[in-house]
Amino acid sequence: MKNLSDGLNFIKKYGYFMIIIFILTVGIFSRLEVFLINRQLWSDEAALASNFFIHKGMLWVFKPLQFGQMSPPLFLLPIKFLTLIFGKQDWVFRLFPFLISVFSPPVFYSLSKKFLNSKPAIIFANFLFAVNFILLQYTTEVKQYSADVLVFAIILMWISNRNPNKINLKIGIKYSLAFTFLFFLSQPAIFILSGFILYSVLLNVKNVKNCLLLIIPLCFILLYKFSMPLELSRFMDNYWSTNEPGFFTLTNLDRFIKGNLSFFLIGAKYLIFLCPLSIIGFFILLIRKTTINNILVCSVVCALLASSLHLYPFVGRMIIYLYPFAFIYMAACFDIKIQNVRMHKFFSSILVTITLLFTILFLAKVFCKNRLNHLTQISQAKEITQILKDNYKKEDIIALPYVNETLFIYYSNYFKFNPASENILYVDFYASDLNKEVKLLESDRFYWVYLPYQKPPENKVIDWLNNQNVFYKIHLGRGGHLYKIKLNN
């Protein structure tokens, strides 16, 4: 009986920390699992990674990038160092985002304790963070999004402990330098600075004078923004206005909300039942009037303002740094203390038991079992480019849509495959009028049609290809195709 009693006392004393350590371990292990599959790059990643092939030296990271890309230079710099050490390979480009993401679960745990009081609510929030599919997917994305999640959380915790009444010249200069530096590592950092300034002024109008120095980084950043090449600025503005509803306006509000919600639910349809809880939790934490939540709310207001001014999109992967707070708001609904001790223990036990059960089911791949399969099917460009290189003859023409250009550029550099530029023809096989596009093709030439991933209307394109004189074809994964054809006249 003594051993049983000692065991129960041990669980009572250390059970919470054991559960937290277990959930954090699952979160870190899941991110390692995603990294180890070494999946192929998709088009947006390839567009950024291609810059490492076409630029020499180090300072290019501070200059405008090619292929319509924008990425913080201090995020690119460590990747550049890693490529110098290990070479330009898929896993090397992913190594720095992965290393950053490994720190995210323990940092989120510290963040959740700033917002939540009860241990069951903290456990629930950390579970949602550890197993979220989108956060796992972008763990190894060759983009800055994993850094955005980590940096935003750390800065928010730090700035929430600062007293705006104590800002003097020396402190103001330090903050200005710190946020200017942080912006070049993760651009959303500037929204926390803006939120802190807004919160300080709302707290006490007299703080305006103290916060004037903190506006300096905003001026530098606006200067940096407007110094971008006009062509790149127009491209980004057009993309986030038409392709994705990234800029917040009252006229596109419906599309804006639906676009963000659908992205949030990718690979996690169960969250649709918890989304109403995040709204309730938002008001619960708003009523509590904690400094950290007030600064967060002000920061989101500033981010929405930047979006409405077409300065930074507020959509999908661009606001992934806000996802952790959605989980905190969901958990806030359970951050309660029931007066009846027995009822409180019963409620807490049920919540913790369900959380542990689903964590184990996730780890056993019963819950979200196809998460890795989805990631491995994003693109088949690596194998297709290798096959193309092995079978290509110098008189052949490579025909590919513009949407596949960066994948071809990246993997052709990766495999040191250098066909003559005049033998590369861009044909929009996915155009609504396919017949008009294929008129670019000549009947007496061999064409390699390069389609590395699934894109509607794929069936229409494949049907057309199969009706030509096919000399070679291969289908890989969910939607990777490579054909060698001559036109069938």
Side-chain angles (χ1 to χ4, degrees):
M1 289 297 292
K2 184 179 179 182
N3 290 337
L4 178 62
S5 177
D6 289 344
L8 290 173
N9 288 332
F10 179 84
I11 292 173
K12 185 177 180 180
K13 187 175 181 180
Y14 298 107
Y16 165 71
F17 294 105
M18 291 171 65
I19 293 170
I20 284 295
I21 290 171
F22 172 63
I23 291 175
L24 295 183
T25 302
V26 170
I28 293 170
F29 172 80
S30 300
R31 283 153 176 77
L32 176 61
E33 188 179 32
V34 172
F35 177 73
L36 290 178
I37 66 173
N38 194 24
R39 67 173 175 84
Q40 299 175 45
L41 272 62
W42 69 286
S43 55
D44 204 30
E45 292 177 290
L48 182 60
S50 293
N51 282 272
F52 289 84
F53 285 101
I54 66 174
H55 293 295
K56 305 299 180 184
M58 307 289 286
L59 295 180
W60 63 266
V61 300
F62 294 95
K63 298 177 181 179
L65 304 177
Q66 300 295 315
F67 312 113
Q69 291 297 300
M70 294 184 72
S71 189
L74 296 182
F75 172 80
L76 298 176
L77 208 54
I79 299 176
K80 177 63 180 179
F81 279 116
L82 290 170
T83 61
L84 293 174
I85 298 170
F86 300 108
K88 299 181 182 76
Q89 302 196 48
D90 293 2
W91 72 269
V92 178
F93 287 113
R94 291 205 164 96
L95 184 56
F96 182 60
F98 164 69
L99 292 175
I100 287 176
S101 70
V102 166
F103 291 98
S104 294
V107 168
F108 178 77
Y109 169 63
S110 298
L111 180 72
S112 63
K113 291 196 297 179
K114 293 279 187 179
F115 285 85
L116 305 170
N117 299 315
S118 71
K119 292 177 180 179
I122 293 171
I123 289 171
F124 184 59
N126 280 269
F127 158 73
L128 293 175
F129 181 88
V131 305
N132 181 254
F133 176 80
I134 287 295
L135 292 178
L136 290 178
Q137 176 177 336
Y138 284 92
T139 287
T140 56
E141 188 88 0
V142 189
K143 300 287 284 187
Q144 64 273 17
Y145 308 124
S146 60
D148 290 344
V149 173
L150 183 68
V151 173
F152 195 91
I154 291 174
I155 299 174
L156 181 62
M157 286 191 288
W158 170 72
I159 202 70
S160 65
N161 293 323
R162 306 304 103 185
N163 187 342
N165 293 314
K166 293 184 178 181
I167 296 177
N168 53 34
L169 179 62
K170 185 178 179 181
I171 293 175
I173 292 173
K174 284 183 178 179
Y175 286 11
S176 295
L177 291 173
F179 275 98
T180 302
F181 173 85
L182 289 166
F183 171 78
F184 288 105
L185 175 63
S186 174
Q187 293 186 11
I190 207 62
F191 299 135
I192 299 184
L193 175 62
S194 305
F196 179 71
I197 294 172
L198 177 59
Y199 169 71
S200 301
V201 173
L202 292 175
L203 191 66
N204 187 347
V205 178
K206 294 180 180 179
N207 286 331
V208 172
K209 185 178 179 180
N210 293 343
C211 293
L212 283 177
L213 280 171
L214 301 183
I215 298 174
I216 294 174
L218 300 179
C219 298
F220 276 118
I221 287 154
L222 287 173
L223 183 64
Y224 174 79
K225 166 70 178 176
F226 291 119
S227 67
M228 289 288 106
L230 188 60
E231 183 180 348
L232 177 59
S233 297
R234 285 176 176 172
F235 170 78
M236 298 301 294
D237 190 76
N238 180 67
Y239 180 86
W240 294 113
S241 297
T242 56
N243 292 47
E244 295 186 56
F247 296 130
F248 174 73
T249 64
L250 293 178
T251 55
N252 77 337
L253 186 59
D254 180 61
R255 186 165 167 249
F256 182 84
I257 293 173
K258 286 182 179 178
N260 279 303
L261 182 61
S262 62
F263 187 85
F264 181 68
L265 296 175
I266 291 175
K269 299 298 183 186
Y270 60 90
L271 287 175
I272 197 168
F273 301 106
L274 298 177
C275 283
L277 297 183
S278 66
I279 299 172
I280 297 170
F282 169 79
F283 286 106
I284 290 173
L285 291 177
L286 200 63
I287 292 169
R288 290 182 185 175
K289 297 180 180 180
T290 58
T291 299
I292 191 168
N293 189 63
N294 289 340
I295 294 175
L296 171 64
V297 172
C298 289
S299 300
V300 173
V301 169
C302 292
L304 285 168
L305 178 62
S307 175
S308 65
L309 295 174
H310 290 212
L311 295 174
Y312 191 89
F314 192 97
V315 63
R317 60 191 179 277
M318 303 301 292
I319 57 167
I320 201 170
Y321 59 89
L322 293 177
Y323 281 27
F325 304 100
F327 306 138
I328 287 173
Y329 286 142
M330 291 172 185
C333 294
F334 306 101
D335 191 30
I336 55 177
K337 185 170 181 64
I338 302 173
Q339 295 301 318
N340 185 294
V341 176
R342 287 187 177 180
M343 285 297 295
H344 181 74
K345 286 184 176 180
F346 176 76
F347 173 79
S348 299
S349 300
I350 291 294
L351 182 61
V352 172
T353 302
I354 292 174
T355 301
L356 275 174
L357 174 63
F358 275 95
T359 305
I360 294 168
L361 291 176
F362 175 83
L363 196 60
K365 292 195 172 123
V366 176
F367 168 57
C368 292
K369 61 181 179 180
N370 296 319
R371 58 187 183 274
L372 294 182
N373 293 340
H374 172 81
L375 294 176
T376 57
Q377 298 295 317
I378 290 177
S379 166
Q380 307 301 322
K382 189 173 186 179
E383 283 91 343
I384 284 178
T385 308
Q386 177 71 77
I387 294 168
L388 175 59
K389 178 187 177 183
D390 293 341
N391 294 276
Y392 180 79
K393 296 179 180 179
K394 65 178 181 179
E395 65 272 11
D396 295 343
I397 304 294
I398 300 171
L400 65 153
Y402 273 110
V403 292
N404 297 334
E405 177 188 19
T406 55
L407 281 168
F408 180 76
I409 290 172
Y410 172 77
Y411 279 111
S412 61
N413 277 286
Y414 182 93
F415 290 115
K416 295 180 172 57
F417 174 45
N418 301 304
S421 58
E422 59 268 20
N423 283 6
I424 299 174
L425 180 66
Y426 294 99
V427 181
D428 188 2
F429 289 102
Y430 301 116
S432 56
D433 190 351
L434 180 59
N435 292 326
K436 180 181 177 181
E437 289 294 321
V438 298
K439 286 181 180 178
L440 297 170
L441 307 181
E442 301 173 13
S443 59
D444 59 340
R445 302 295 299 269
F446 284 105
Y447 291 94
W448 286 96
V449 180
Y450 181 90
L451 307 170
Y453 64 88
Q454 185 178 35
K455 188 180 188 312
E458 182 183 276
N459 293 336
K460 181 181 177 181
V461 178
I462 301 306
D463 289 343
W464 179 85
L465 288 168
N466 286 326
N467 285 326
Q468 308 310 309
N469 295 312
V470 179
F471 293 85
Y472 182 94
K473 70 176 179 178
I474 189 168
H475 176 210
L476 298 174
R478 187 173 58 187
H481 298 276
L482 180 67
Y483 277 74
K484 184 178 182 179
I485 65 166
K486 263 190 176 182
L487 294 194
N488 183 11
N489 292 328

